[in-house]
Amino acid sequence: MKKLKQLSLILFLSVGLFSCEAEKVDEVVKDDTLQGEQIFRYEMDGITRVTNNVTVGAVGGKVVMTAIFNDDLSDYKNQTFTVNIDKLATGTYTTNISTQMTEEVFGFCSAAIKLPNVEWLYSTTNLGLDLNNLGQNAGSLTILSINEKAKYFEGKFSFDLHAPKAQNPNNNIAPIKIANGYFQYVKYN
């Protein structure tokens, strides 16, 4: 009886292994010109914000990615998040203008957010070129992959966005912390 159970188990496993081996991969799965739905998300004040309303363009030789958030179920409406990147290539882009280019740091970036009830932009560039702020890192963005056939890219980011000096001369307005930022299938031309 014991040998019969062992023989049945071996037979069952071998049939399972051989049946999977002959199955062909669906051609659609291998088509790298297809893309999924755009997604752009980040955490701010402990809440995850998500949108698929993302555009990418070029301004002054830089890549500009703009995400617009409109959540009809909350007060999170008409908020625009913009990221400027030196170029569209895989690598890490930092906000620290005193950082030397290395294999890990591929270029520079900046980010800003426009909140609906605030007159100004919170931005990584609001620190300015004040010598007290030189070398202060306000975050980074990493482009993880680019699909040149389907024309989309993927990456992650985190930033500290500061109020402008005119509204914050004594630096008593805390920066907005953007954490766990991620984007995928963001289309470019």
Side-chain angles (χ1 to χ4, degrees):
M1 183 72 170
K2 188 175 183 180
K3 288 196 180 235
L4 183 60
K5 284 184 183 179
Q6 288 176 343
L7 185 59
S8 298
L9 180 62
I10 292 171
L11 182 62
F12 176 75
L13 288 175
S14 62
V15 167
L17 289 175
F18 288 117
S19 65
C20 290
E21 188 177 308
E23 187 176 337
K24 291 184 177 183
V25 175
D26 189 358
E27 292 300 315
V28 174
V29 173
K30 298 190 307 185
D31 186 357
D32 61 357
T33 61
L34 297 176
Q35 76 179 64
E37 184 177 352
Q38 299 189 114
I39 186 167
F40 188 98
R41 74 164 190 255
Y42 62 84
E43 289 178 17
M44 184 174 86
D45 298 330
I47 299 171
T48 301
R49 306 296 184 184
V50 180
T51 187
N52 63 0
N53 187 355
V54 186
T55 59
V56 176
V59 175
K62 304 237 186 256
V63 176
V64 179
M65 181 170 39
T66 303
I68 299 173
F69 295 83
N70 283 310
D71 184 355
D72 293 331
L73 302 176
S74 73
D75 62 349
Y76 205 76
K77 296 180 182 160
N78 300 320
Q79 298 195 11
T80 304
F81 190 90
T82 305
V83 180
N84 298 298
I85 314 163
D86 274 351
K87 56 189 158 203
L88 188 57
T90 56
T92 298
Y93 300 82
T94 182
T95 60
N96 185 346
I97 61 171
S98 67
T99 301
Q100 297 295 318
M101 295 293 193
T102 65
E103 286 184 23
E104 293 82 32
V105 177
F106 202 68
F108 301 108
C109 68
S110 63
I113 191 168
K114 175 66 177 99
L115 303 174
N117 298 325
V118 179
E119 296 296 319
W120 64 80
L121 289 175
Y122 281 85
S123 175
T124 58
T125 61
N126 285 343
L127 291 173
L129 295 177
D130 182 343
L131 292 178
N132 294 327
N133 297 326
L134 198 60
Q136 184 172 343
N137 190 358
S140 66
L141 176 140
T142 301
I143 296 178
L144 300 169
S145 66
I146 300 172
N147 183 321
E148 293 178 0
K149 289 183 180 179
K151 300 279 191 208
Y152 66 78
F153 61 111
E154 169 189 21
K156 61 183 182 175
F157 60 90
S158 64
F159 296 108
D160 293 342
L161 305 174
H162 299 268
K165 274 289 190 201
Q167 283 75 26
N168 194 21
N170 299 320
N171 292 327
N172 55 357
I173 300 175
I176 293 175
K177 304 273 187 194
I178 302 294
N180 298 318
Y182 178 75
F183 53 91
Q184 185 176 23
Y185 301 119
V186 173
K187 303 170 193 144
Y188 70 92
N189 292 324

